[in-house]
Amino acid sequence: RAGAKGEITFEEMVTVGDFWNWMEQKFVPNTYDPFWSNGDPKDDYFKGAVLDMNRVVNGFRVTQRRSRVNDCLLQQRYNAFFPFCYPNTFGQGRWGPTSKDSFGPYYNATKYRWSEYGYEGGGSDSGFVANVPATTVLQARNRVAELKQDQWIDQATRFVRVDF
């Protein structure tokens, strides 16, 4: 499944570990790459430019949508074997047994909250949003490491999007 050096493409992701591997090994380093493809250092103006054309000015955002835990048909019958059930959702996690309940690590169970936001020029979206800063690769790596440590993506996650 993975290419050379354990690298994985976005389309090949299957597990939670695959997602974090892709974020840590591919997305963050390539988004904040300080070198051109020939190895020469980029001028400050071009650092943080996606595809060497579009500048990242406010970081990137990771949005997820989640399913409600234990909202599956026939779940009670199998509780002895599977005490938790994570049902499927539909329409990129918008319909079905979806959850807007806050969640987080054991020390802050409401750290991540549902939010709704609009786009300039119209339109809106919603989900659990984690913003990642744009200033340095170190800040981006630290924020991604925090999300991973908090298990921001878990069994209840049904939809993930990374955008700018």
Side-chain angles (χ1 to χ4, degrees):
R1 215 177 48 171
K5 297 186 271 182
E7 294 176 352
I8 192 168
T9 67
F10 188 82
E11 291 81 14
E12 293 173 325
M13 283 189 276
V14 176
T15 68
V16 172
D18 288 346
F19 174 78
W20 293 121
N21 181 36
W22 178 81
M23 287 292 287
E24 293 169 334
Q25 303 300 319
K26 293 291 269 182
F27 186 79
V28 169
N30 288 328
T31 301
Y32 295 89
D33 189 0
F35 300 100
W36 295 108
S37 59
N38 67 359
D40 290 344
K42 292 180 180 178
D43 296 333
D44 285 343
Y45 177 80
F46 290 105
K47 291 179 181 174
V50 176
L51 299 176
D52 300 325
M53 294 179 196
N54 301 304
R55 294 193 46 84
V56 178
V57 294
N58 200 20
F60 61 91
R61 166 178 58 201
V62 186
T63 304
Q64 75 158 295
R65 298 189 190 107
R66 302 169 60 81
S67 67
R68 282 195 306 261
V69 178
N70 291 340
D71 198 22
C72 298
L73 298 174
L74 303 174
Q75 196 267 333
Q76 289 181 342
R77 174 186 271 176
Y78 301 106
N79 271 351
F81 302 105
F82 306 103
F84 299 103
C85 170
Y86 302 93
N88 286 325
T89 59
F90 309 95
Q92 297 180 336
R94 295 177 195 272
W95 301 288
T98 60
S99 174
K100 295 181 181 180
D101 296 338
S102 298
F103 71 101
Y106 71 92
Y107 57 86
N108 186 355
T110 61
K111 184 174 183 177
Y112 301 108
R113 300 172 188 271
W114 182 265
S115 64
E116 298 185 20
Y117 50 92
Y119 294 108
E120 190 173 322
S124 63
D125 209 348
S126 58
F128 294 93
V129 177
N131 292 305
V132 179
T135 52
T136 67
V137 68
L138 181 61
Q139 286 181 320
R141 283 184 175 151
N142 287 342
R143 178 65 169 139
V144 168
E146 175 188 6
L147 293 170
K148 183 179 179 179
Q149 178 68 34
D150 288 351
Q151 297 180 1
W152 190 76
I153 301 288
D154 63 9
Q155 297 92 331
T157 303
R158 291 295 175 260
F159 170 85
V160 177
R161 178 183 59 235
V162 180
D163 61 5
F164 298 91

